[in-house]
Amino acid sequence: NIENKVKLLAGDKIITYTHKKTGSPAQNIIHCPLEFKKVHIGEGSDIGINAVILPDVTIGKRVQVGAGAVVTRSFPDDAVVTGVPAVQIG
């Protein structure tokens, strides 16, 4: 779910699925079933160029995500996040 006034830029990726590993540890991941999870981006957030947002993440309202960040967890309203994995810096 992407709320109003969210800015997405070139190269941004929003990933909503993972491969669910089942059976033997030697099982090829490509043959595992897909498991879909939600992503939510709050109103007024600004997602920097080439950022990646992974499944099961909520980004609050007015959040600034830095260029190239990999968002692996949720962040509250008004956060400034950057890095790989993304951490809150403001």
Side-chain angles (χ1 to χ4, degrees):
N1 182 25
I2 300 174
E3 292 186 9
N4 293 323
K5 300 179 184 175
V6 169
K7 184 168 100 177
L8 295 169
L9 296 173
D12 287 341
K13 295 166 188 65
I14 300 170
I15 311 299
T16 59
Y17 67 90
T18 61
H19 289 275
K20 186 175 183 176
K21 194 82 165 152
T22 59
S24 164
Q27 182 182 19
N28 188 327
I29 193 73
I30 199 70
H31 298 296
C32 295
L34 297 178
E35 181 175 37
F36 291 88
K37 296 189 176 183
K38 293 182 179 183
V39 169
H40 181 89
I41 303 174
E43 183 174 347
S45 290
D46 182 5
I47 312 302
I49 194 166
N50 291 321
V52 178
I53 301 170
L54 296 179
D56 204 25
V57 164
T58 296
I59 295 174
K61 295 179 180 186
R62 301 171 303 278
V63 171
Q64 172 68 54
V65 176
V70 177
V71 183
T72 61
R73 62 184 182 89
S74 297
F75 291 98
D77 295 349
D78 302 307
V80 177
V81 304
T82 191
V84 180
V87 295
Q88 187 169 346
I89 61 168

